[in-house]
Amino acid sequence: MITGYAMHGYAYQALDLFKKMSEKARPDHITFVGVLLACKNGGLLDKGQMYFDSMSSDFCIEPTIEHYTCIVDLLGHFNRLNEAYDVIMKMRVIPDSGIWGALLNACKIHGNVELAELALERLIELKPDDAGNYVILSNIYAQAGKWERVVNLRQLMTEKKIKKNIACSWIEVKTKIHAFVCGDTSHPMYDQIYVELREIGDLIAKAGYIPNVSPVFYDVESDEKSEMVSSHSERLAIAFGMICTPPGTKLLVTKNLRVCEDCHVAIKLISKVKEREIIVRDVNRYHHFKDGLCSCGDFW
């Protein structure tokens, strides 16, 4: 239950349940994974550090790789990257790809090129064929305007025959699964989907939406970047769901990668202007969008 609350962004409910449980049962290392996940997903830095320290001081539980990953991720999100790196260096267990991946993702959020390069070096040693790690560093280079490094890194991927994972989103309508990729035109109803997408775009623009093209890591014009983000897979799935379900129906979309920053903003507004509850399950957690807000509190 604690982990379930954490996955859906209900951090305080998770911690309240932990407090009640601790009065009658002694928590173990698995319980603390859920607690730290709740702090991580809820952006509760002070509480996360407190619970991490109390594991060993109050409950004699030695942190495992899962606990360290949560605290590194939490510190990284708050741009305390040097502290996160120190935690990794002082760990009593060998850092795995999850630890270095958490640091790399934090470097992407805050644009730390130097530390990102170090994290990728370690990740290549552990998972040399994982395309996602190369792509994240490539994106960090692009954010910093280092287009030559972007080209060099992608050339390296080509030479190593490493292919980028394709973002895909799914939605179930009337017991049938419908899958979409970015810019997809393969669906039989793609004409109607794009009409709906444009109508949604007009509505959210009136509600104050301004495209954030930072998730597009190509050296192209701004209008092209805006077009790219507007046809991301999760938005196509949502548009299809709007067409094929009655007004007010809750939509559940699953995505194989992390939802991007622009789509997160757009979906919040879509939930408001279309008066729909939209749940997006990405690779990390559940996002519950309703009335222009998300359960993650914009921290993910």
Side-chain angles (χ1 to χ4, degrees):
M1 287 180 69
I2 290 170
T3 303
Y5 275 129
M7 286 292 291
H8 288 272
Y10 303 116
Y12 287 103
Q13 290 90 329
L15 298 183
D16 183 59
L17 185 59
F18 170 73
K19 182 180 178 181
K20 292 177 180 177
M21 188 199 86
S22 299
E23 294 171 357
K24 297 185 178 181
R26 187 175 180 81
D28 59 14
H29 70 283
I30 296 173
T31 312
F32 275 101
V33 171
V35 168
L36 292 175
L37 183 64
C39 294
K40 179 179 79 71
N41 286 352
L44 307 177
L45 178 60
D46 292 339
K47 287 185 179 294
Q49 291 180 302
M50 182 268 289
Y51 283 118
F52 183 79
D53 293 338
S54 73
M55 284 176 55
S56 53
S57 62
D58 299 335
F59 298 95
C60 299
I61 298 173
E62 192 70 23
T64 66
I65 198 72
E66 290 83 7
H67 304 115
Y68 281 116
T69 301
C70 285
I71 202 68
V72 166
D73 198 329
L74 186 54
L75 286 167
H77 267 78
F78 280 91
N79 202 15
R80 292 167 66 165
L81 295 170
N82 290 332
E83 288 181 55
Y85 182 69
D86 286 342
V87 169
I88 297 174
M89 291 295 96
K90 295 175 182 177
M91 284 169 51
R92 296 181 182 180
V93 293
I94 298 173
D96 66 358
S97 60
I99 287 281
W100 291 113
L103 184 64
L104 183 62
N105 276 305
C107 289
K108 176 181 176 293
I109 294 170
H110 301 291
N112 190 313
V113 175
E114 183 178 350
L115 200 54
E117 290 176 331
L118 188 151
L120 182 65
E121 287 179 15
R122 302 293 184 270
L123 284 163
I124 289 174
E125 293 171 3
L126 296 166
K127 286 190 170 184
D129 299 324
D130 190 331
N133 298 322
Y134 290 89
V135 171
I136 290 174
L137 181 58
S138 175
N139 294 347
I140 294 170
Y141 285 150
Q143 284 178 320
K146 300 181 183 294
W147 296 107
E148 185 177 345
R149 294 193 190 184
V150 172
V151 172
N152 292 339
L153 191 57
R154 300 211 170 194
Q155 180 62 38
L156 179 63
M157 292 175 66
T158 301
E159 291 171 1
K160 291 188 174 185
K161 298 181 179 179
I162 298 172
K163 295 183 178 180
K164 178 183 176 181
N165 296 324
I166 297 175
C168 185
S169 296
W170 298 265
I171 185 169
E172 181 178 346
V173 176
K174 297 178 181 178
T175 70
K176 184 178 179 181
I177 303 294
H178 299 261
F180 301 88
V181 297
C182 182
D184 205 337
T185 58
S186 63
H187 195 279
M189 294 176 61
Y190 84 89
D191 282 335
Q192 294 166 262
I193 292 170
Y194 279 89
V195 168
E196 178 69 16
L197 207 58
R198 284 191 291 272
E199 290 179 358
I200 289 172
D202 290 340
L203 287 172
I204 62 176
K206 291 176 183 177
Y209 168 71
I210 299 173
N212 172 11
V213 296
S214 63
V216 179
F217 301 103
Y218 296 95
D219 192 10
V220 296
E221 296 299 322
S222 294
D223 56 345
E224 292 181 72
K225 291 185 177 183
S226 298
E227 187 68 25
M228 288 178 182
V229 294
S230 69
S231 60
H232 276 185
S233 62
E234 55 267 59
R235 294 206 215 178
L236 293 175
I238 289 169
F240 174 74
M242 294 285 182
I243 296 169
C244 298
T245 60
T249 303
K250 183 187 299 184
L251 302 180
L252 171 60
V253 174
T254 304
K255 186 176 182 180
N256 66 331
L257 301 177
R258 181 181 182 273
V259 62
C260 81
E261 293 87 345
D262 184 74
C263 285
H264 194 269
V265 171
I267 298 170
K268 284 197 299 181
L269 288 171
I270 292 169
S271 72
K272 182 178 182 178
V273 299
K274 299 292 285 188
E275 299 182 345
R276 294 263 195 148
E277 184 175 352
I278 303 169
I279 302 171
V280 178
R281 169 65 163 101
D282 71 4
V283 70
N284 292 325
R285 62 185 296 170
Y286 287 87
H287 296 265
H288 294 255
F289 299 93
K290 186 177 181 180
D291 299 328
L293 301 173
C294 179
S295 59
C296 76
D298 299 334
F299 186 93
W300 86 103

